[in-house]
Every structure is written in structure tokens, then in C-alpha cells.
Amino acid sequence: MATRDEIEELIARVKLRDRQAFSTLYAETSAKLYGVCLRVLKNRAEADEALQDVYVRIWKKADAYSANGYSPMTWLITMARNIAIDKLRARKAPSSGIEEAADLASPGLTPEGEVIAASERQRIMDCLEELEADRAGAVRGAYLDGDSYKDLAERYGVPLNTMRTWLRRSLLSLRDCLTR
């Protein structure tokens, strides 16, 4: 790879629209800048496109680089990263206008739905109360808090297969309770 001074000289020559210097700069820096784009975008086709945009910007904005103690590679890498992030943001679907938003129904529950949900929640809580405290805690941990079976087994000091059995039997008990 070229030294810092060589890259600065190449950028200075690109400012003067030296095509040979631009070609050499590409040969010396493209692998590193492609890696930056690929790391951000995680998609080879988009990284290729971003890299092309980077070098178009270098060609147009080479005069924006000034050797002020910063590494020229830092300038190039920052430019590549920013372009890749812009492409990443552009992936997201464009938002629609406010006129379309007025036609959408509220995602929340209706008052009737809230009453039904509260009633169901209370039924589940009542059924959880019928389980032994450690079994109910394990069910809450696994299905409400997202704890892994392994974490729960360690927390309750039981083997992993015992935890699986606890959870399976507890779910069967809950099902029976909820069908009463």
C-alpha cells in the first residue's frame, strides 16, 4: 500500500484532474474502502455501488481534502463510511404523506378490546397463581421475559432437562386451567 505522503500527492494530482493519479489512487485504496462499505452494508452489490459513489465523490471533491495533519486514508475511509451509511438509510421504505396517515386505523385496542384483554390477562394471572411459585416464576421468565431454558435452570438450581419438564408441565396445567 502507498504511504501517507504518496496518497496525499495522488489526491493533490486528482484535484488537478490527473486521470493517471486517479487510477493509481483507486488501485492503492479501493480494497480498503470496499471493505468499509461491505462492513456497513453487508451486501456485495450495494458495497460495489457505494464504492463507485465514493470514487465519483473523490473525483469531484478532491479539492476539499487539505493536509492538516490528518491521514488522507482517514478522509477517504470517512467518506466511504458516510456514503455506505447513506445507502443503508435509503434502504428503508420511504414514509408516506400525512394525508395517507389519516386513513389508517389506530393500532391500539378498542375500549371493548381493552376490557377483553384485561379479563384474559387476569385469567392467566389467576392460573399462574395455581402453579408452585418456582414453576410460575420459570414460566414468567421463559415466556414473558425471554430467558433461556439454560438461564432458568441455573437460576433455580435444576438440570436443564428438569427445567424443560417444569415448563412443559406448567404449560399443560395453564391450558387446563384456562379451559375450565
Side-chain angles (χ1 to χ4, degrees):
M1 180 150 181
T3 65
R4 173 186 175 145
D5 293 335
E6 291 170 336
I7 294 173
E8 282 183 354
E9 181 182 335
L10 290 171
I11 293 173
R13 288 175 42 204
V14 169
K15 286 181 195 179
L16 302 172
R17 300 297 183 238
D18 182 339
R19 291 178 185 272
Q20 182 58 42
F22 185 73
S23 178
T24 304
L25 181 66
Y26 181 86
E28 293 292 331
T29 60
S30 62
K32 176 74 172 176
L33 299 183
Y34 179 74
V36 170
C37 294
L38 187 59
R39 193 173 321 117
V40 171
L41 295 167
K42 296 177 182 25
N43 178 302
R44 290 189 181 277
E46 287 181 325
D48 289 338
E49 188 178 318
L51 186 67
Q52 180 178 349
D53 291 347
V54 169
Y55 282 96
V56 167
R57 187 170 297 171
I58 290 169
W59 180 256
K60 291 179 179 178
K61 304 277 187 178
D63 57 343
Y65 174 74
S66 61
N68 54 5
Y70 294 110
S71 163
M73 280 307 293
T74 301
W75 182 69
L76 295 171
I77 289 168
T78 301
M79 188 182 310
R81 183 177 169 277
N82 290 344
I83 288 172
I85 289 172
D86 289 345
K87 290 206 171 291
L88 190 64
R89 289 178 181 150
R91 274 187 200 166
K92 296 179 180 167
S95 60
S96 56
I98 191 71
E99 300 80 28
E100 293 177 28
D103 295 336
L104 296 177
S106 173
L109 295 174
T110 63
E112 179 184 12
E114 287 180 16
V115 170
I116 293 170
S119 173
E120 290 298 312
R121 186 172 29 255
Q122 187 58 49
R123 283 185 61 214
I124 292 171
M125 297 308 285
D126 290 343
C127 289
L128 277 171
E129 294 284 324
E130 292 181 12
L131 296 175
E132 294 178 37
D134 52 358
R135 280 21 173 221
V139 169
R140 283 186 183 100
Y143 301 107
L144 299 178
D145 300 334
D147 296 335
S148 70
Y149 288 6
K150 181 181 176 189
D151 291 341
L152 292 168
E154 290 173 4
R155 183 179 310 148
Y156 290 100
V158 297
L160 182 60
N161 285 335
T162 300
M163 179 53 61
R164 288 185 178 126
T165 302
W166 277 15
L167 292 170
R168 187 179 67 250
R169 289 180 181 168
S170 296
L171 289 177
L172 292 172
S173 294
L174 287 174
R175 184 185 67 190
D176 291 343
C177 176
L178 290 170
T179 57
R180 282 189 243 147

